[in-house]
Amino acid sequence: MKKITLLVFAILLVSCGSSKKTTSNDLASTNPIRTHINISAVNNDKVPVTINPGRFISDVVTYRLPKIVPGNYRVSDFGNFAENFQAIDYDGNVLPSTKIDANSWTIENATKLDKIRYEINDTYDIENGEITTPFSPAGTNIEPENYVLNLHAFIGYFDSLKKNQYTLDVTAPSSFKRTSALQKVEEKLSEDGKDKTTSYFAPRYFDISDNPMMYGNLDVEEFQVGDIKIVLSVFSPNKIHTAASIKETIYKMMSAQKKYLGDINSTNRYDIYLYLSKGGENSPGGFGALEHHTSTVVVLPEMMPAEALAETMVDVVSHEFFHIVSPLSIHSEDVHYFDYNAPTFSKHLWMYEGVTEYFATLFQADQKLISEDAFFNKMIIEKINASKRYDDEMSFTEMSENILEKPYEDNYINVYNKGALIGMCIDLILREESNGDRGILSLMKELSLKYGKNKPFEDDKLIDEIVSTTYPSIRTFFDTHVIGNTPIDYDAFLDKVGLEMVDKKIETNYVQSNGKLIFKGDREKGLFFFNENVTNNSFWSDNGVKTDDIIKSVGGTDVTLANAQQLLGQMFTWAPGTEIEVSIVRGEKEIPIKTTLTQSYSTGKGVEKIENPTKEQLELRAAWY
């Protein structure tokens, strides 16, 4: 009966005017969506994309590019970068289609739809324009020597085919290096040998969006860390840095992470894609990283000194790698069944980002990669100072669940500050209650064993579950400081391990003093100034800089609204011993500062060990790191 029904239906389709010979096995609902990205056919910085879904039985279908992607809690609207969208029928004619919002198109007469064609513009070279662009590590780069292929920006999905498999062909010059963790099926050279098409397979759309690629003239290093294959792909436009020069730092860091994590292991390959921005007006300036389940895309300034780049890569990549614990192994239904155009958000950013950030700092102390003082400063002082710039009386779970809405979205960055401190406090409570035997890492291991990457937890039940397997004091902490809006008394938690915060001279960088930025901007005038905090930064103060001095140029480049984030971001990575050149304006006078950087200090809160700690305090501190 089934075969007869399908045969009759196929005949009806032919009688309705389709010139394509149809069969029962070409239905879109039962076949992989075939996609093609043609880098070799780039025209005016736009990459042609073709989508072939198979045969539809519906008269109208909707195709979407993502509004938001997992791990990036901001609207990206990737549909804004698609141009010349066309739906083509089996005779090569254009079908009626309507763009119904920034990211979605409806296609009429969809029973005749053969394929969709459009071009994708990149995001890196228009970040400083009027259109809202994605965070750089979530964006795309299209230039002759390099292609950052965050696939969610190129490939979309049909509402009716969300569970379909995908095949992806990427055509590019045969000379290009290409890195991707997607399952590679085959490679074919063109007849003239100039181009090569690499074919990949993805079990579902999630795997398309979760596996970025990098193509071009890259530096690539592959190495093993235990049983995990690490693939490091680096693009440095001016060849200042190489994958080989960064490899040892990554190897040492990830070896320490593996040792720290112990038996938590949810991937056999991890990819790191590092794009180094050359700092021009058309270069990306959203520095940082975006995690994927088994990879991360990192964007940093190319002009960073090697030592500063290495230190930043440790902080950034270690955070992203720890995401193999959460959300890869432990995540809610909101994450598991993510809706790319109308997402709901979990209440537990304190865990996804906060605990991940906590691990990224704690493991460095635990594995002796940094000193105690550096750990105290990075984990406690810097995080506390940074957290105070946000609403300290805002419920963390309420903020997480409503992260795209005002006033919550303005507090998102606090997940890396107060979120990490929440992780620290939970860790100390668990260790105190268990005489040092349990901590937040063991808790995450327990949750990972119960759930894993294919079994999400119910968002509203996670805290109850944690409390049921731990201690009543954990319930009190969650109710008061995570669900509730009472600020945390960090002095009380530091006292548990025999530490205290005191006023002292502390090391600082060249853009902050005591955790506060020393700059302010005037958008209307297009100028940037040193603010009153500069007086508490010894380097600038010793060089005669005063409040309200205008920052005219850095390294010979004038500071503008378009490049300020890049130039001031580079100053964040400066290290003692580096020669620098800055020009400031005071009144009508331009004042050059050309010197060698010395360590800068500020006066503020620091952490010290208390005198005469108790045995319990010493034992708890020893169990902590």
Side-chain angles (χ1 to χ4, degrees):
M1 177 67 75
K2 185 177 182 180
K3 289 185 179 179
I4 295 173
T5 302
L6 288 174
L7 179 60
V8 172
F9 187 70
I11 293 171
L12 286 173
L13 277 179
V14 173
S15 68
C16 289
S18 171
S19 65
K20 180 182 178 181
K21 183 179 179 181
T22 57
T23 65
S24 61
N25 63 0
D26 66 351
L27 290 174
S29 58
T30 58
N31 282 275
I33 297 171
R34 301 194 300 276
T35 64
H36 184 209
I37 297 173
N38 194 347
I39 291 173
S40 292
V42 168
N43 182 31
N44 194 26
D45 273 353
K46 299 179 180 67
V47 173
V49 177
T50 304
I51 310 293
N52 187 341
R55 181 166 54 88
F56 285 104
I57 60 174
S58 302
D59 288 329
V60 178
V61 296
T62 301
Y63 180 76
R64 303 183 191 273
L65 286 164
K67 175 181 179 179
I68 298 172
V69 292
N72 185 23
Y73 300 90
R74 59 185 278 186
V75 172
S76 295
D77 282 339
F78 287 103
N80 282 334
F81 306 96
E83 300 180 11
N84 301 320
F85 184 96
Q86 290 185 324
I88 309 298
D89 70 12
Y90 293 117
D91 294 319
N93 301 312
V94 177
L95 292 170
S97 63
T98 304
K99 192 172 185 180
I100 57 175
D101 59 37
N103 307 289
S104 309
W105 295 260
T106 58
I107 300 165
E108 300 176 28
N109 301 327
T111 55
K112 298 180 180 180
L113 176 65
D114 181 21
K115 56 192 173 185
I116 294 171
R117 292 192 303 227
Y118 51 85
E119 296 173 319
I120 291 295
N121 198 354
D122 67 346
T123 67
Y124 282 8
D125 63 5
I126 58 175
E127 282 190 356
N128 298 312
E130 294 181 0
I131 189 172
T132 299
T133 53
F135 178 44
S136 300
T140 58
N141 188 53
I142 298 170
E143 59 181 273
E145 297 295 310
N146 175 265
Y147 294 80
V148 175
L149 303 177
N150 271 304
L151 295 179
H152 51 242
F154 294 87
I155 306 296
Y157 61 93
F158 294 90
D159 276 353
S160 57
L161 305 178
K162 288 184 176 180
K163 296 182 180 180
N164 275 46
Q165 298 173 338
Y166 279 72
T167 63
L168 169 62
D169 292 340
V170 181
T171 300
S174 54
S175 61
F176 275 9
K177 292 182 180 179
R178 52 205 73 200
T179 52
S180 171
L182 265 182
Q183 179 184 338
K184 186 166 68 174
V185 178
E186 64 176 351
E187 287 188 325
K188 290 183 179 179
L189 277 173
S190 61
E191 290 186 4
D192 60 9
K194 292 182 178 179
D195 298 319
K196 182 190 293 184
T197 298
T198 308
S199 299
Y200 303 92
F201 172 77
R204 58 188 178 117
Y205 183 71
F206 168 79
D207 298 282
I208 289 287
S209 68
D210 195 49
N211 284 281
M213 300 177 173
M214 188 179 278
Y215 273 54
N217 294 322
L218 318 173
D219 276 324
V220 181
E221 290 283 336
E222 298 184 4
F223 52 95
Q224 290 289 133
V225 175
D227 53 358
I228 300 179
K229 178 182 179 180
I230 308 299
V231 182
L232 172 63
S233 305
V234 177
F235 178 69
S236 179
N238 294 305
K239 311 300 181 185
I240 295 174
H241 302 283
T242 65
S245 67
I246 302 169
K247 174 183 174 181
E248 187 59 33
T249 295
I250 299 297
Y251 175 79
K252 181 179 179 181
M253 173 197 73
M254 298 189 85
S255 296
Q257 287 184 279
K258 278 283 290 176
K259 184 178 179 182
Y260 176 75
L261 285 172
D263 54 3
I264 292 182
N265 187 12
S266 52
T267 182
N268 57 16
R269 171 173 172 153
Y270 195 85
D271 280 77
I272 302 166
Y273 306 94
L274 173 60
Y275 181 95
L276 293 168
S277 174
K278 61 185 176 182
E281 290 203 10
N282 293 326
S283 301
F287 301 136
L290 177 67
E291 86 271 7
H292 296 270
H293 277 44
T294 58
S295 65
T296 184
V297 178
V298 186
V299 178
L300 293 172
E302 187 183 33
M303 296 306 295
M304 294 177 72
E307 184 177 337
L309 178 63
E311 182 179 352
T312 304
M313 286 293 285
V314 169
D315 289 338
V316 171
V317 177
S318 63
H319 174 100
E320 306 306 331
F321 182 72
F322 274 119
H323 276 300
I324 69 171
V325 180
S326 178
L328 176 55
S329 296
I330 311 164
H331 56 263
S332 70
E333 294 169 327
D334 305 81
V335 175
H336 197 76
Y337 305 109
F338 190 81
D339 188 323
Y340 294 84
N341 273 272
T344 57
F345 292 98
S346 170
K347 296 177 179 178
H348 303 298
L349 280 176
W350 66 268
M351 181 177 72
Y352 299 140
E353 298 296 344
V355 171
T356 299
E357 178 68 7
Y358 174 58
F359 283 154
T361 308
L362 177 64
F363 98 95
Q364 295 182 54
D366 181 87
Q367 296 295 308
K368 312 304 179 190
L369 298 182
I370 58 175
S371 67
E372 275 189 329
D373 285 343
F375 172 59
F376 296 158
N377 192 47
K378 291 176 72 171
M379 183 60 246
I380 301 170
I381 297 303
E382 288 184 6
K383 299 296 186 189
I384 290 176
N385 286 337
S387 73
K388 298 303 183 184
R389 296 200 291 266
Y390 301 93
D391 187 347
D392 201 28
E393 296 184 351
M394 178 177 284
S395 163
F396 226 79
T397 53
E398 187 175 335
M399 177 193 71
S400 299
E401 196 171 27
N402 301 282
I403 197 63
L404 295 186
E405 302 173 14
K406 296 284 188 180
Y408 307 104
E409 68 172 348
D410 295 332
N411 285 266
Y412 168 69
I413 297 300
N414 210 16
V415 301
Y416 302 103
N417 301 308
K418 188 173 182 178
L421 293 165
I422 287 171
M424 180 188 76
C425 293
I426 293 172
D427 196 13
L428 292 178
I429 294 171
L430 290 172
R431 293 187 183 281
E432 182 180 45
E433 293 279 16
S434 65
N435 295 318
D437 291 336
R438 297 181 70 185
I440 198 164
L441 180 59
S442 61
L443 172 64
M444 298 299 281
K445 287 183 178 182
E446 292 166 15
L447 292 172
S448 179
L449 286 173
K450 178 171 182 178
Y451 293 103
K453 63 182 180 180
N454 295 318
K455 182 182 178 183
F457 59 78
E458 291 184 50
D459 206 64
D460 290 336
K461 295 183 178 181
L462 179 66
I463 290 177
D464 289 339
E465 183 175 349
I466 290 173
V467 171
S468 70
T469 61
T470 56
Y471 312 99
S473 53
I474 292 291
R475 163 61 70 190
T476 301
F477 179 81
F478 273 115
D479 286 347
T480 307
H481 303 298
V482 183
I483 300 171
N485 56 12
T486 302
I488 299 171
D489 180 1
Y490 298 109
D491 289 323
F493 283 91
L494 294 178
D495 184 67
K496 296 177 186 292
V497 288
L499 301 176
E500 62 180 347
M501 287 191 287
V502 298
D503 290 324
K504 60 183 294 189
K505 180 181 177 182
I506 55 177
E507 291 185 0
T508 189
N509 52 47
Y510 304 95
V511 299
Q512 293 175 311
S513 66
N514 194 26
K516 299 176 182 178
L517 288 174
I518 61 175
F519 306 123
K520 61 183 178 181
D522 187 324
R523 283 195 168 274
E524 291 185 3
K525 296 180 180 179
L527 297 175
F528 288 84
F529 304 81
F530 285 98
N531 65 25
E532 64 277 4
N533 297 323
V534 74
T535 60
N536 193 23
N537 184 297
S538 65
F539 172 79
W540 294 112
S541 183
D542 291 347
N543 279 277
V545 175
K546 298 181 179 180
T547 302
D548 292 330
D549 283 349
I550 298 170
I551 310 164
K552 184 179 186 298
S553 67
V554 176
T557 302
D558 285 348
V559 178
T560 66
L561 286 175
N563 66 15
Q565 184 174 3
Q566 290 181 328
L567 293 179
L568 300 184
Q570 289 176 17
M571 292 170 66
F572 182 79
T573 67
W574 283 354
T578 304
E579 293 184 1
I580 60 102
E581 186 175 351
V582 176
S583 178
I584 64 173
V585 174
R586 184 181 303 149
E588 300 296 323
K589 184 180 181 181
E590 184 170 340
I591 305 171
I593 298 175
K594 189 174 183 179
T595 186
T596 300
L597 290 174
T598 56
Q599 179 60 57
S600 193
Y601 296 90
S602 62
T603 301
K605 292 293 184 181
V607 173
E608 296 280 2
K609 297 176 181 178
I610 65 173
E611 294 184 12
N612 303 315
T614 65
K615 177 184 176 183
E616 289 77 16
Q617 287 172 320
L618 290 173
E619 288 176 346
L620 191 58
R621 189 195 304 163
W624 181 26
Y625 63 87

